[in-house]
PDB file of all heavy atoms in Angstrom:
ATOM      1  N   TYR A  31       7.532  11.350  -8.096  1.00 95.00           N
ATOM      2  CA  TYR A  31       6.730  11.250  -9.315  1.00 95.00           C
ATOM      3  C   TYR A  31       5.293  10.897  -8.982  1.00 95.00           C
ATOM      4  O   TYR A  31       5.024  10.009  -8.161  1.00 95.00           O
ATOM      5  CB  TYR A  31       7.287  10.165 -10.248  1.00 95.00           C
ATOM      6  CG  TYR A  31       8.475  10.583 -11.069  1.00 95.00           C
ATOM      7  CD1 TYR A  31       9.760  10.541 -10.538  1.00 95.00           C
ATOM      8  CD2 TYR A  31       8.314  11.006 -12.386  1.00 95.00           C
ATOM      9  CE1 TYR A  31      10.858  10.923 -11.301  1.00 95.00           C
ATOM     10  CE2 TYR A  31       9.406  11.377 -13.160  1.00 95.00           C
ATOM     11  CZ  TYR A  31      10.675  11.338 -12.609  1.00 95.00           C
ATOM     12  OH  TYR A  31      11.754  11.708 -13.372  1.00 95.00           O
ATOM     13  N   TYR A  33       1.313  10.494 -11.159  1.00 97.00           N
ATOM     14  CA  TYR A  33       0.729  10.317 -12.490  1.00 97.00           C
ATOM     15  C   TYR A  33      -0.784  10.349 -12.410  1.00 97.00           C
ATOM     16  O   TYR A  33      -1.371   9.911 -11.424  1.00 97.00           O
ATOM     17  CB  TYR A  33       1.139   8.965 -13.085  1.00 97.00           C
ATOM     18  CG  TYR A  33       2.627   8.720 -13.124  1.00 97.00           C
ATOM     19  CD1 TYR A  33       3.314   8.276 -12.001  1.00 97.00           C
ATOM     20  CD2 TYR A  33       3.342   8.929 -14.302  1.00 97.00           C
ATOM     21  CE1 TYR A  33       4.677   8.056 -12.045  1.00 97.00           C
ATOM     22  CE2 TYR A  33       4.715   8.700 -14.350  1.00 97.00           C
ATOM     23  CZ  TYR A  33       5.366   8.267 -13.218  1.00 97.00           C
ATOM     24  OH  TYR A  33       6.722   8.043 -13.264  1.00 97.00           O
ATOM     25  N   GLN A  37      -8.760   5.128 -17.588  1.00 96.00           N
ATOM     26  CA  GLN A  37      -8.912   3.743 -18.045  1.00 96.00           C
ATOM     27  C   GLN A  37     -10.275   3.572 -18.687  1.00 96.00           C
ATOM     28  O   GLN A  37     -11.305   3.823 -18.054  1.00 96.00           O
ATOM     29  CB  GLN A  37      -8.747   2.749 -16.888  1.00 96.00           C
ATOM     30  CG  GLN A  37      -8.734   1.305 -17.355  1.00 96.00           C
ATOM     31  CD  GLN A  37      -8.422   0.344 -16.223  1.00 96.00           C
ATOM     32  OE1 GLN A  37      -8.825   0.531 -15.086  1.00 96.00           O
ATOM     33  NE2 GLN A  37      -7.674  -0.717 -16.548  1.00 96.00           N
ATOM     34  N   GLY A  40     -11.130  -1.263 -23.834  1.00 77.00           N
ATOM     35  CA  GLY A  40     -10.470  -1.321 -25.129  1.00 77.00           C
ATOM     36  C   GLY A  40      -9.238  -0.462 -25.260  1.00 77.00           C
ATOM     37  O   GLY A  40      -8.498  -0.570 -26.242  1.00 77.00           O
ATOM     38  N   PHE A  90      -7.235   7.032 -12.514  1.00 98.00           N
ATOM     39  CA  PHE A  90      -6.321   6.495 -11.517  1.00 98.00           C
ATOM     40  C   PHE A  90      -5.124   7.420 -11.339  1.00 98.00           C
ATOM     41  O   PHE A  90      -4.565   7.928 -12.311  1.00 98.00           O
ATOM     42  CB  PHE A  90      -5.805   5.110 -11.929  1.00 98.00           C
ATOM     43  CG  PHE A  90      -6.821   4.023 -11.796  1.00 98.00           C
ATOM     44  CD1 PHE A  90      -7.513   3.562 -12.898  1.00 98.00           C
ATOM     45  CD2 PHE A  90      -7.063   3.440 -10.558  1.00 98.00           C
ATOM     46  CE1 PHE A  90      -8.452   2.560 -12.784  1.00 98.00           C
ATOM     47  CE2 PHE A  90      -8.002   2.420 -10.434  1.00 98.00           C
ATOM     48  CZ  PHE A  90      -8.694   1.985 -11.532  1.00 98.00           C
ATOM     49  N   GLN A 101       5.173   1.520 -10.398  1.00 91.00           N
ATOM     50  CA  GLN A 101       4.120   2.485 -10.108  1.00 91.00           C
ATOM     51  C   GLN A 101       3.085   1.840  -9.195  1.00 91.00           C
ATOM     52  O   GLN A 101       2.658   0.714  -9.408  1.00 91.00           O
ATOM     53  CB  GLN A 101       3.481   2.982 -11.401  1.00 91.00           C
ATOM     54  CG  GLN A 101       4.441   3.863 -12.204  1.00 91.00           C
ATOM     55  CD  GLN A 101       3.791   4.573 -13.356  1.00 91.00           C
ATOM     56  OE1 GLN A 101       2.572   4.693 -13.442  1.00 91.00           O
ATOM     57  NE2 GLN A 101       4.607   5.080 -14.271  1.00 91.00           N
ATOM     58  N   ARG A 108     -14.389   7.134 -10.261  1.00 97.00           N
ATOM     59  CA  ARG A 108     -15.302   6.856 -11.383  1.00 97.00           C
ATOM     60  C   ARG A 108     -16.067   8.127 -11.690  1.00 97.00           C
ATOM     61  O   ARG A 108     -16.849   8.597 -10.860  1.00 97.00           O
ATOM     62  CB  ARG A 108     -16.240   5.720 -10.998  1.00 97.00           C
ATOM     63  CG  ARG A 108     -17.072   5.170 -12.141  1.00 97.00           C
ATOM     64  CD  ARG A 108     -17.768   3.874 -11.713  1.00 97.00           C
ATOM     65  NE  ARG A 108     -16.826   2.814 -11.451  1.00 97.00           N
ATOM     66  CZ  ARG A 108     -16.397   1.930 -12.347  1.00 97.00           C
ATOM     67  NH1 ARG A 108     -16.851   1.980 -13.586  1.00 97.00           N
ATOM     68  NH2 ARG A 108     -15.548   0.990 -12.005  1.00 97.00           N
TER      69      ARG A 108
ATOM     70  N   LYS B   2      -1.125   0.402 -32.005  1.00 80.00           N
ATOM     71  CA  LYS B   2      -0.752   0.688 -30.636  1.00 80.00           C
ATOM     72  C   LYS B   2       0.660   0.209 -30.381  1.00 80.00           C
ATOM     73  O   LYS B   2       1.122  -0.766 -30.979  1.00 80.00           O
ATOM     74  CB  LYS B   2      -1.717  -0.022 -29.686  1.00 80.00           C
ATOM     75  CG  LYS B   2      -3.136   0.525 -29.735  1.00 80.00           C
ATOM     76  CD  LYS B   2      -4.021  -0.237 -28.753  1.00 80.00           C
ATOM     77  CE  LYS B   2      -5.452   0.278 -28.812  1.00 80.00           C
ATOM     78  NZ  LYS B   2      -6.334  -0.475 -27.894  1.00 80.00           N
ATOM     79  N   TYR B  36       0.838  -6.294 -14.355  1.00 96.00           N
ATOM     80  CA  TYR B  36      -0.013  -5.827 -13.276  1.00 96.00           C
ATOM     81  C   TYR B  36      -1.290  -6.663 -13.253  1.00 96.00           C
ATOM     82  O   TYR B  36      -1.788  -7.090 -14.293  1.00 96.00           O
ATOM     83  CB  TYR B  36      -0.391  -4.354 -13.464  1.00 96.00           C
ATOM     84  CG  TYR B  36       0.683  -3.367 -13.067  1.00 96.00           C
ATOM     85  CD1 TYR B  36       1.753  -3.101 -13.907  1.00 96.00           C
ATOM     86  CD2 TYR B  36       0.611  -2.692 -11.856  1.00 96.00           C
ATOM     87  CE1 TYR B  36       2.731  -2.192 -13.554  1.00 96.00           C
ATOM     88  CE2 TYR B  36       1.584  -1.770 -11.484  1.00 96.00           C
ATOM     89  CZ  TYR B  36       2.644  -1.526 -12.342  1.00 96.00           C
ATOM     90  OH  TYR B  36       3.606  -0.623 -11.974  1.00 96.00           O
ATOM     91  N   GLN B  38      -5.285  -6.501 -11.902  1.00 96.00           N
ATOM     92  CA  GLN B  38      -6.314  -5.557 -11.479  1.00 96.00           C
ATOM     93  C   GLN B  38      -7.616  -6.298 -11.220  1.00 96.00           C
ATOM     94  O   GLN B  38      -8.225  -6.842 -12.135  1.00 96.00           O
ATOM     95  CB  GLN B  38      -6.519  -4.480 -12.550  1.00 96.00           C
ATOM     96  CG  GLN B  38      -7.491  -3.389 -12.130  1.00 96.00           C
ATOM     97  CD  GLN B  38      -7.645  -2.297 -13.178  1.00 96.00           C
ATOM     98  OE1 GLN B  38      -7.360  -2.508 -14.360  1.00 96.00           O
ATOM     99  NE2 GLN B  38      -8.096  -1.128 -12.765  1.00 96.00           N
ATOM    100  N   ARG B  41     -12.967  -3.061 -10.048  1.00 91.00           N
ATOM    101  CA  ARG B  41     -13.173  -1.824  -9.292  1.00 91.00           C
ATOM    102  C   ARG B  41     -12.039  -1.524  -8.308  1.00 91.00           C
ATOM    103  O   ARG B  41     -12.248  -0.872  -7.281  1.00 91.00           O
ATOM    104  CB  ARG B  41     -14.520  -1.852  -8.577  1.00 91.00           C
ATOM    105  CG  ARG B  41     -15.668  -1.889  -9.557  1.00 91.00           C
ATOM    106  CD  ARG B  41     -17.022  -1.829  -8.899  1.00 91.00           C
ATOM    107  NE  ARG B  41     -18.073  -1.802  -9.907  1.00 91.00           N
ATOM    108  CZ  ARG B  41     -18.601  -0.698 -10.401  1.00 91.00           C
ATOM    109  NH1 ARG B  41     -18.194   0.477  -9.979  1.00 91.00           N
ATOM    110  NH2 ARG B  41     -19.545  -0.753 -11.318  1.00 91.00           N
ATOM    111  N   GLY B  43      -7.523  -0.555  -8.129  1.00 94.00           N
ATOM    112  CA  GLY B  43      -6.379  -0.103  -8.896  1.00 94.00           C
ATOM    113  C   GLY B  43      -5.463  -1.273  -9.239  1.00 94.00           C
ATOM    114  O   GLY B  43      -5.455  -2.288  -8.554  1.00 94.00           O
ATOM    115  N   LEU B  46       1.287  -4.315  -8.956  1.00 92.00           N
ATOM    116  CA  LEU B  46       2.395  -4.965  -9.636  1.00 92.00           C
ATOM    117  C   LEU B  46       2.477  -6.436  -9.260  1.00 92.00           C
ATOM    118  O   LEU B  46       2.463  -6.790  -8.085  1.00 92.00           O
ATOM    119  CB  LEU B  46       3.711  -4.262  -9.297  1.00 92.00           C
ATOM    120  CG  LEU B  46       4.935  -4.812 -10.027  1.00 92.00           C
ATOM    121  CD1 LEU B  46       4.859  -4.495 -11.511  1.00 92.00           C
ATOM    122  CD2 LEU B  46       6.216  -4.240  -9.428  1.00 92.00           C
ATOM    123  N   TYR B  49       8.047  -8.235 -12.474  1.00 90.00           N
ATOM    124  CA  TYR B  49       8.903  -7.242 -13.111  1.00 90.00           C
ATOM    125  C   TYR B  49      10.117  -7.960 -13.686  1.00 90.00           C
ATOM    126  O   TYR B  49      10.712  -8.810 -13.020  1.00 90.00           O
ATOM    127  CB  TYR B  49       9.357  -6.216 -12.072  1.00 90.00           C
ATOM    128  CG  TYR B  49      10.354  -5.207 -12.580  1.00 90.00           C
ATOM    129  CD1 TYR B  49       9.932  -3.946 -12.960  1.00 90.00           C
ATOM    130  CD2 TYR B  49      11.718  -5.495 -12.650  1.00 90.00           C
ATOM    131  CE1 TYR B  49      10.832  -3.001 -13.408  1.00 90.00           C
ATOM    132  CE2 TYR B  49      12.624  -4.557 -13.110  1.00 90.00           C
ATOM    133  CZ  TYR B  49      12.178  -3.321 -13.473  1.00 90.00           C
ATOM    134  OH  TYR B  49      13.063  -2.375 -13.929  1.00 90.00           O
ATOM    135  N   ASN B  96      10.380   5.720 -15.881  1.00 81.00           N
ATOM    136  CA  ASN B  96       9.444   6.574 -15.159  1.00 81.00           C
ATOM    137  C   ASN B  96       8.151   6.831 -15.921  1.00 81.00           C
ATOM    138  O   ASN B  96       7.273   7.502 -15.413  1.00 81.00           O
ATOM    139  CB  ASN B  96      10.116   7.891 -14.759  1.00 81.00           C
ATOM    140  CG  ASN B  96      10.638   8.643 -15.971  1.00 81.00           C
ATOM    141  OD1 ASN B  96      10.381   8.256 -17.111  1.00 81.00           O
ATOM    142  ND2 ASN B  96      11.362   9.702 -15.731  1.00 81.00           N
TER     143      ASN B  96
END
Side-chain angles (χ1 to χ4, degrees):
Chain A
Y31 280 83
Y33 306 81
Q37 187 174 36
F90 287 100
Q101 291 190 17
R108 190 169 294 269
Chain B
K2 293 180 181 178
Y36 281 79
Q38 185 178 22
R41 296 184 177 267
L46 184 69
Y49 175 99
N96 59 7

